[in-house]
């Protein structure tokens, strides 16, 4: 039976790549929402794209739910393909267009491993800090929990910093693994945790200095600061 989800009807095929992003990101344009990493991957690959902006209400409506079952951003549409999940989107871009994955199979496998490490091992404790502050900040145990949660991030950052050492990137040349890791680490900057680890902060700064990141950042900033 033909799949009914995530394969677009011909009349809705995207002629150019279309992604979705917040109509207005709660971060006011700091680039912390997850469309930035997708924009960055598209810029690294040199691909033009359009952005469909969605409100929090529109994200939960059927039109959006048929490309994102969890009612979130970002999504990615190209020809008859619709994807959600930034890991899948960045991997798709990296595998189908140049510039983000090494040629050699084993090198490529390790770059993908770093993408997964960023999303599955490093991002969760960073998100816990956000949850502890924003969603649980008014609980009587919030302060105590915050200490624990921040220490878990520090433990992870110590391990990551040991792995990175004084290298420029995680494994040879810049790859989709670095793009994802830098994107994830950026989310730890507002808490001050990133700056406790100068080599990680410098690694993130190298990512931010890439022209493709700058273009991605500027594009989301323009959306989130328009009047
Ligand atoms: N695992 C998914 C992925 O990687 O694509 C997670 C997607 C996701 O969490 N999307 C968020 C969303 O749509 C936006 S990025 N949330 C709306 C909802 O769930 O209703 C998360 C985010 C939001 C706000 C900030 N900020 O203000 O700093 C940063 C990141």
């Amino acid at each position: 039976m033909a799949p009914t989800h995530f394969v677009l009807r011909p009349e809705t095929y995207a002629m150019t790549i279309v992604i979705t992003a917040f109509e207005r990101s709660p971060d006011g344009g700091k680039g912390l929402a997850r469309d930035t990493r997708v924009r960055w991957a598209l810029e690294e690959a040199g691909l033009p794209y359009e952005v469909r902006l969605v409100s929090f209400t529109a994200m939960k409506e059927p039109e959006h739910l048929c490309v994102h079952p969890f009612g979130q951003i970002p999504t990615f549409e190209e020809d008859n393909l619709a994807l959600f999940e930034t890991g899948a989107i960045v991997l798709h871009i990296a595998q189908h267009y140049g510039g983000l994955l090494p040629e050699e199979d084993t090198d490529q496998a390790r770059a993908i491993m770093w993408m997964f490490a960023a999303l599955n091992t490093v991002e969760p404790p960073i998100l816990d800090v956000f949850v502890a502050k924003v969603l649980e900040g008014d609980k009587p145990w919030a302060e105590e929990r915050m200490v624990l949660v921040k220490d878990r991030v520090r433990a992870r950052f110590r391990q990551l910093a040991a792995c990175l050492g004084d290298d420029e990137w995680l494994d040879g040349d810049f790859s989709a693994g670095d793009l994802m890791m830098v994107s994830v680490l950026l989310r730890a900057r507002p808490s001050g945790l990133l700056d406790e680890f100068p080599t990680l902060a410098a690694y993130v700064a190298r990512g931010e200095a890439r022209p493709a990141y700058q273009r991605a950042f500027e594009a989301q900033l323009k959306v989130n600061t328009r009047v």
Side-chain angles (χ1 to χ4, degrees):
M1 194 166 75
T4 52
H5 281 84
F6 320 122
V7 177
L8 300 177
R9 295 186 309 280
E11 62 273 25
T12 62
Y13 278 14
M15 299 309 285
T16 57
I17 291 170
V18 179
I19 67 166
T20 52
F22 280 132
E23 189 173 63
R24 196 159 289 264
S25 174
D27 75 356
K30 291 195 183 75
L32 301 178
R34 287 180 175 86
D35 58 292
T36 305
R37 57 185 75 166
V38 173
R39 292 173 185 270
W40 186 7
L42 290 165
E43 292 287 355
E44 290 284 353
L47 296 170
Y49 64 97
E50 289 170 14
V51 185
R52 191 166 67 241
L53 300 175
V54 284
S55 65
F56 276 92
T57 313
M59 266 178 236
K60 311 299 175 202
E61 283 169 0
E63 198 183 333
H64 188 71
L65 288 171
C66 87
V67 284
H68 199 312
F70 306 119
Q72 297 183 313
I73 61 96
T75 58
F76 170 99
E77 291 163 39
E78 181 185 31
D79 300 327
N80 66 337
L81 173 71
L83 292 175
F84 60 93
E85 283 300 331
T86 51
I89 297 169
V90 171
L91 185 58
H92 173 80
I93 295 166
Q95 285 179 325
H96 290 84
Y97 303 98
L100 280 167
L101 283 178
E103 291 278 304
E104 213 271 310
D105 271 3
T106 54
D107 295 341
Q108 196 172 114
R110 286 197 311 280
I112 295 170
M113 169 185 75
W114 279 115
M115 289 181 67
F116 277 86
L119 294 170
N120 288 348
T121 306
V122 179
E123 191 165 50
I126 296 174
L127 292 186
D128 280 349
V129 174
F130 174 82
V131 170
K133 183 173 174 219
V134 177
L135 305 181
E136 301 169 347
D138 59 346
K139 303 284 187 257
W141 37 262
E143 255 180 66
E144 267 178 280
R145 175 162 156 72
M146 185 57 101
V147 173
L148 300 177
V149 161
K150 283 190 166 178
D151 277 347
R152 277 183 216 128
V153 174
R154 290 189 183 99
R156 210 40 107 216
F157 281 10
R158 265 192 293 279
Q159 294 166 320
L160 183 64
C163 208
L164 179 67
D166 293 322
D167 291 348
E168 192 177 13
W169 305 114
L170 286 166
D171 192 339
D173 291 339
F174 177 84
S175 77
D178 295 296
L179 183 149
M180 200 55 91
M181 191 63 81
V182 167
S183 301
V184 160
L185 292 176
L186 270 167
R187 193 95 187 260
R189 188 182 272 154
S191 65
L193 285 164
L194 181 63
D195 290 330
E196 290 181 24
F197 294 80
T199 58
L200 294 184
Y203 168 66
V204 169
R206 281 192 289 281
E208 289 177 297
R210 292 180 70 82
Y213 178 85
Q214 301 272 316
R215 289 193 294 275
F217 182 86
E218 288 305 322
Q220 67 75 36
L221 183 67
K222 199 169 161 194
V223 168
N224 290 306
T225 52
R226 73 197 191 285
V227 281

